[in-house]
Amino acid sequence: MEAMAELIAAARAVRENAYAPYSHYAVGAAVRAEDGSIYAGCNVENAASPEGLCAEAAAIAAMVAAGRRRLTAVAVVGGDVARPAMPCGGCRQRLHEFAAPGAVVAVADAAGRLLCETPLAALLPEAFGPGGRI
Ligand code: THU
């Protein structure tokens, strides 16, 4: 399977486990680490809404917990053509913390149809990162 299709498949699969009883907006995310390994996470909401977790944050946590610290791509599955699950501002910053140069973000719908594919840098221009502003 093509690399991005594989990442989208992982995000689709984990989306099935999303806990989104408040928004009913299920999201799955999968990051690919520099060594090719894949880590997935889903959104986990909370009755006290600010305590909810985005799918991207969960996937990043899984990657870091596994000892990887560099990601080359992320796939997010959620929403539809009219409202793709673009990473929120906070998650763009979280992704940037661990992103390899040229890291790519793909967003797909629940059927796996690609809605958007763009460099992370385009979603977070002039970002502040671990090495300072780039
Ligand atoms: N959400 C994500 O998990 N990732 C995104 O990229 C967009 C939004 C979640 C947060 C919340 O649980 C729900 O989607 C609705 O905002």
Side-chain angles (χ1 to χ4, degrees), residues 19-20 23 25-27 42-45 53-56 76 83 85-88 91:
Y19 177 72
S23 72
Y25 192 80
V27 183
C42 56
N43 55 334
V44 183
E45 297 185 347
L53 190 67
C54 285
E56 295 90 329
V76 184
R83 192 190 172 205
M86 297 303 293
C88 73
C91 282

Side-chain angles (χ1 to χ4, degrees), residues 30-114:
V31 296
R32 186 179 294 281
E34 227 164 24
D35 68 349
S37 53
I38 290 175
Y39 301 93
C42 56
N43 55 334
V44 183
E45 297 185 347
N46 193 280
S49 54
E51 304 306 333
L53 190 67
C54 285
E56 295 90 329
I60 290 167
M63 180 188 80
V64 173
R68 311 283 190 269
R69 293 191 173 176
R70 214 97 196 115
L71 62 88
T72 58
V74 54
V76 184
V77 169
D80 52 31
V81 189
R83 192 190 172 205
M86 297 303 293
C88 73
C91 282
R92 294 175 194 204
Q93 186 69 42
R94 290 186 184 100
L95 289 164
H96 178 63
E97 183 76 18
F98 299 103
V104 172
V105 178
V107 182
D109 67 13
R113 279 181 294 256
L114 188 65

